[in-house]
Amino acid sequence: MAWLRRSGERLRPLDEAAAYARCHGDRDDSVRIVKLPPRRARYDTLLATGEDIRVGLEARIDARDADAGAPAPPA
């Protein structure tokens, strides 16, 4: 417990290898590190570009504005 330690007593600093070994232990021979090939592309072509999405959105907004000008059907 830190509060029981005398004020003049300090822990020695750990280097990176010692800190890793303290946290994770030593690596045994049953674990192998392998290099994986890069992932393939998820899509061959993009479904839509940003410009296509923008043009579609503007068309939907224009259609909504045109519908807003029409009289509402009686309820």
Side-chain angles (χ1 to χ4, degrees):
M1 293 187 214
W3 54 275
L4 290 177
R5 218 174 334 127
R6 285 183 273 169
S7 63
E9 186 179 341
R10 295 182 184 244
L11 297 175
R12 66 177 175 85
L14 297 176
D15 62 340
E16 185 177 355
Y20 183 88
R22 187 176 204 168
C23 292
H24 303 288
D26 294 330
R27 181 181 295 164
D28 58 358
D29 294 334
S30 65
V31 176
R32 291 185 330 170
I33 298 175
V34 296
K35 295 283 185 182
L36 296 176
R39 287 185 169 190
R40 63 177 175 79
R42 182 174 277 187
Y43 302 109
D44 293 334
T45 58
L46 292 177
L47 302 176
T49 64
E51 184 65 19
D52 294 338
I53 294 171
R54 185 186 66 76
V55 169
L57 177 63
E58 286 179 349
R60 289 175 53 194
I61 291 173
D62 292 342
R64 184 178 62 187
D65 290 342
D67 290 343

